[in-house]
Amino acid sequence: MKALLARGWARAAIGLIAPGLFLLWWQVQAQSGGAHALAFAPLQSVGAAFVELAVQGSLFSDMASTLSRSLSGLAIGGTLGIALGVAMAIWRPLDRVLNPLLQAIRQVPLMGWLPLLGLWVGTGQGTELIVVSLSAFFPTLLNSFEGVANVERRFIEVGQIYGFTPWQRFRLILLPAAMPLILTGLTQGLAFAWIASIASEILLGVGGGLGVTMQLAQMQQRIDIILVAILVTAALGFTINRLFLRLRQHLLRWQAPLR
């Protein structure tokens, strides 16, 4: 059994069992003929809607918009989160000054900032980018801080014995030791940025994106298009996450591989 599970195709096939059963249940509900069947769309209708959006080209442009917004927010929020988290871990006075404020801000749901951001910068795509950046900022900040702050003391003592400068100590000791947690923060930031992109698109409805497609489909009562957008969102988000995990495994080759 273990030898079978070691094969990539076997793991992929097993992973398709639950989605396959869910789709089967969905099709049964859609064809049941009861009153609740109106809330379900047959899979053939969903497939036709997918072809419709693909031929129009709107599906791929929406995917590109959401993906661009997510990665831009990750780049901005992730960079700021790593830089500030490392700085707070190294220079503790900065941590004592900023930590209470950051912890208080973190307790407010990101969507709760939309009314205030709307007054400050409007309800355009700039607000969406700010929300997505904030969603990626806090996971990277917290993990970067913990990664650097919890480096074993003996590693630092080795650097002192060799007379490392502060920059050498950071580059050769602190950063490599903290890298697993920093990359974990980026992985979490990517997931949060993706979710925040869809949510902000649904709530604000500006520009393009899969969330905007869901909102318009709801107004038109097109359940099939809503399902296409949901399925594409899930598939694209899953693919991005797996690619990032592969990159993480490559950068941390010396660690035990992730599942």
Side-chain angles (χ1 to χ4, degrees), residues 10-28 43 231 234-235 238:
R11 292 198 303 269
I14 293 174
L16 292 175
I17 293 176
L21 291 175
F22 175 78
L23 292 177
L24 177 61
W25 171 83
W26 183 279
Q27 184 70 1
V28 170
L43 296 182
L231 292 174
F238 177 81

Side-chain angles (χ1 to χ4, degrees), residues 122-147:
T123 56
Q125 298 188 51
T127 299
E128 291 181 342
L129 184 58
I130 292 174
V131 170
V132 177
S133 299
L134 283 174
S135 69
F137 171 76
F138 286 106
T140 53
L141 169 74
L142 296 174
N143 281 277
S144 299
F145 176 86
E146 292 296 328

Side-chain angles (χ1 to χ4, degrees), residues 192-240:
F192 283 118
W194 181 252
I195 295 172
S197 295
I198 301 297
S200 62
E201 290 168 1
I202 293 175
L203 292 175
L204 297 177
V206 295
L210 294 168
V212 176
T213 298
M214 294 180 194
Q215 183 192 52
L216 295 176
Q218 181 188 20
M219 296 173 60
Q220 299 168 356
Q221 297 184 351
R222 291 288 304 273
I223 297 178
D224 51 352
I225 293 181
I226 294 176
L227 289 174
V228 169
I230 290 175
L231 292 174
V232 170
T233 298
L236 190 56
F238 177 81
T239 301
I240 296 170

Side-chain angles (χ1 to χ4, degrees), residues 155-177:
F155 293 155
I156 300 176
E157 292 174 351
V158 170
Q160 293 174 343
I161 293 174
Y162 282 96
F164 284 178
T165 64
W167 168 245
Q168 288 176 322
R169 186 164 60 249
F170 170 74
R171 182 173 61 88
L172 299 177
I173 297 178
L174 295 180
L175 186 59

Side-chain angles (χ1 to χ4, degrees), residues 47-103:
F50 177 85
V51 174
E52 174 188 342
L53 295 177
V55 171
Q56 292 175 356
S58 59
L59 178 61
F60 301 108
S61 62
D62 287 337
M63 291 169 57
S65 296
T66 300
L67 183 59
S68 174
R69 188 174 293 111
S70 301
L71 295 181
S72 298
L74 177 66
I76 297 172
T79 300
L80 293 176
I82 292 174
L84 188 57
V86 170
M88 290 170 62
I90 293 177
W91 194 39
R92 288 310 176 93
L94 182 64
D95 174 46
R96 287 191 287 270
V97 171
L98 294 181
N99 189 53
L101 174 63
L102 293 173
Q103 290 295 339

